[in-house]
Amino acid sequence: MVEKEEAGGGISEEEAAQYDRQIRLWGLEAQKRLRASRVLLVGMKGLGAEIAKNLILAGVKGLTMLDHEQVSPEDPGAQFLIRTGSVGRNRAEASLERAQNLNPMVDVKVDTEDIEKKPESFFTEFDAKIVFCPVKEALEVDWSSDKAKAQLKRTTPDYFLLQVLLKFRTDKGRDPSCDTYGEDSELLLQIRNDVLDSLGVSPDLLPEDFVRYCFSEMAPVCAVVGGILAQEIVKALSQRDPPHNNFFFFDGMKGSGIVECLGPK
């Protein structure tokens, strides 16, 4: 950690050199706000690793990576902070060395406790908390009004894909698995038909080949979505630019993203 600071500058000469391009982009005051911020990141799979990378490189004061789960055989495919041979280790601990090496000026810490066991006082230590909320809570929209029904017909297909995955997880208590690819593919197609029929939308909105993309994290998708989410955190901490309103969907097969404003329940 660099302790020396320029008189009245708020950041050191080393930091000014490290973050020169960012300071030119969003200004010294915004960088100073970032440099004073501590962030909690919950979940260190592929997406979490991308968010961690971007925030560490941006130059926050500190980042705590919290994850109580162990590294699975699938994790290294999309989680670049985890070294080969780390299966069975705690996911956050296995990510620490490479995360810290990205920027020694940032205080990177690990917490291996389950977030459900944390007292409320724990969260007051941080200026920003990145917690992946339940998908059901995030996607629950009342489509019964005429205005909502009109919006429904213009909503990106990615929204409905997430609804299908949510229903699968609710019914099976897990995500689709490569070990049961045939069975899970059939169930995903049936859920697609049921979910879209219940919303009054043609099942053809999600072509049958969508099931091929439901069985693992895709590293390029994690990179794009992690970049967008980290950008939103930087906006909040630096007090620069308004946030997206209110959903960002990215289609990894088309390579395009869209911001949707979905009404409250």
Side-chain angles (χ1 to χ4, degrees):
M1 296 287 290
V2 178
E3 300 295 342
K4 177 185 175 183
E5 293 188 350
E6 293 181 338
I11 64 172
S12 67
E13 294 180 7
E14 293 89 342
E15 289 170 322
Q18 173 85 358
Y19 307 126
D20 177 68
R21 293 179 64 184
Q22 296 168 198
I23 293 172
R24 293 172 186 271
L25 177 64
W26 53 54
L28 178 61
E29 289 304 314
Q31 187 65 44
K32 286 165 62 177
R33 294 188 190 102
L34 278 178
R35 193 67 187 88
S37 300
R38 293 192 176 276
V39 181
L40 171 67
L41 172 59
V42 181
M44 286 302 299
K45 297 192 73 174
L47 180 58
E50 292 288 349
I51 296 169
K53 174 200 72 177
N54 288 312
L55 292 178
I56 291 169
L57 293 177
V60 295
K61 182 177 182 64
L63 176 73
T64 297
M65 304 181 298
L66 187 151
D67 197 321
H68 70 285
E69 299 283 355
Q70 295 180 333
V71 177
S72 71
E74 294 80 19
D75 283 340
Q79 218 282 35
F80 62 89
L81 293 176
I82 295 176
R83 292 186 180 278
T84 303
S86 297
V87 173
R89 291 186 63 194
N90 173 269
R91 216 182 260 140
E93 289 181 334
S95 304
L96 178 59
E97 180 182 358
R98 285 183 171 176
Q100 184 63 82
N101 287 342
L102 290 170
N103 188 350
M105 295 183 183
V106 176
D107 181 18
V108 183
K109 296 180 179 179
V110 162
D111 194 316
T112 62
E113 188 176 9
D114 189 339
I115 188 174
E116 299 290 342
K117 299 179 180 179
K118 292 293 187 183
E120 290 189 13
S121 58
F122 169 76
F123 300 97
T124 63
E125 303 172 15
F126 304 97
D127 301 288
K129 281 79 70 175
I130 308 169
V131 182
F132 301 107
C133 67
V135 179
K136 181 178 180 180
E137 178 183 326
L139 298 179
E140 202 163 32
V141 177
D142 182 0
W143 297 106
S144 60
S145 70
D146 291 340
K147 182 179 180 180
K149 289 178 181 178
Q151 180 184 357
L152 181 63
K153 300 182 185 301
R154 301 190 300 270
T155 299
T156 176
D158 301 322
Y159 168 82
F160 304 107
L161 172 56
L162 289 177
Q163 290 283 13
V164 171
L165 289 172
L166 169 62
K167 185 67 165 60
F168 183 100
R169 183 180 292 176
T170 300
D171 291 350
K172 302 291 287 187
R174 59 174 176 83
D175 290 329
S177 171
C178 293
D179 295 334
T180 51
Y181 182 87
E183 173 189 338
D184 289 357
S185 295
E186 292 182 8
L187 180 56
L188 284 166
L189 288 171
Q190 182 58 53
I191 291 175
R192 175 201 67 166
N193 296 338
D194 294 344
V195 168
L196 270 65
D197 281 344
S198 70
L199 293 172
V201 178
S202 170
D204 294 336
L205 188 66
L206 281 179
E208 291 190 359
D209 65 351
F210 85 91
V211 299
R212 293 190 297 152
Y213 318 123
C214 298
F215 288 85
S216 67
E217 284 188 301
M218 299 173 64
V221 174
C222 290
V224 173
V225 177
I228 295 294
L229 184 49
Q231 171 185 283
E232 295 300 288
I233 300 300
V234 168
K235 285 181 184 178
L237 294 175
S238 65
Q239 301 175 27
R240 294 271 300 185
D241 303 318
H244 284 319
N245 183 21
N246 54 359
F247 281 83
F248 174 77
F249 295 94
F250 180 75
D251 187 325
M253 302 311 298
K254 296 179 180 178
S256 61
I258 186 173
V259 177
E260 290 272 15
C261 183
L262 301 180
K265 180 181 175 181

